[in-house]
């Protein structure tokens, strides 16, 4: 965790609620790492996924192929164009 600074780019696996590195995501949320660029297939769908970091405003940019069927957290924190 100490090697992941503010402004880091992280790539996380997972799809449809399975396979996410939830321990890593929760640890980064507790640490307060900010200005993250997250690369993920989907994101912000549940409390155990990147949604934690979106709610904490820790993610500045996201690259995602499929944010979610209903990416409400994603849309609320990163509206189109941001």
């Amino acid at each position: 965790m100490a090697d992941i600074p503010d402004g880091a780019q992280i790539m996380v696996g997972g799809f449809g609620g399975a396979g996410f590195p939830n321990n890593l995501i929760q640890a980064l949320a507790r640490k307060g790492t900010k200005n993250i660029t997250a690369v993920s297939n989907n994101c912000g769908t549940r409390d155990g996924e990147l949604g934690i970091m979106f709610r904490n405003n820790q993610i500045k940019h996201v690259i995602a192929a499929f944010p979610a069927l209903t990416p409400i957290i994603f849309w609320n924190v990163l509206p189109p164009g941001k």
Side-chain angles (χ1 to χ4, degrees):
M1 295 306 312
D3 293 337
I4 302 176
D6 290 346
Q9 295 179 1
I10 61 169
M11 179 181 270
V12 296
F15 181 77
F20 279 85
N22 289 319
N23 290 338
L24 170 67
I25 292 167
Q26 291 171 7
L28 287 172
R30 284 191 302 271
K31 181 182 174 198
T33 305
K34 57 188 175 192
N35 297 322
I36 294 291
T37 296
V39 181
S40 179
N41 184 59
N42 64 339
C43 50
T45 58
R46 297 184 184 174
D47 289 340
E49 299 169 4
L50 288 172
I52 297 168
M53 295 180 71
F54 279 109
R55 281 194 200 99
N56 292 347
N57 292 313
Q58 292 175 275
I59 296 178
K60 185 173 184 178
H61 302 284
V62 67
I63 300 167
F66 183 75
L69 287 173
T70 55
I72 294 168
I73 298 166
F74 177 81
W75 285 336
N76 288 340
V77 176
L78 291 176
K82 183 174 177 185

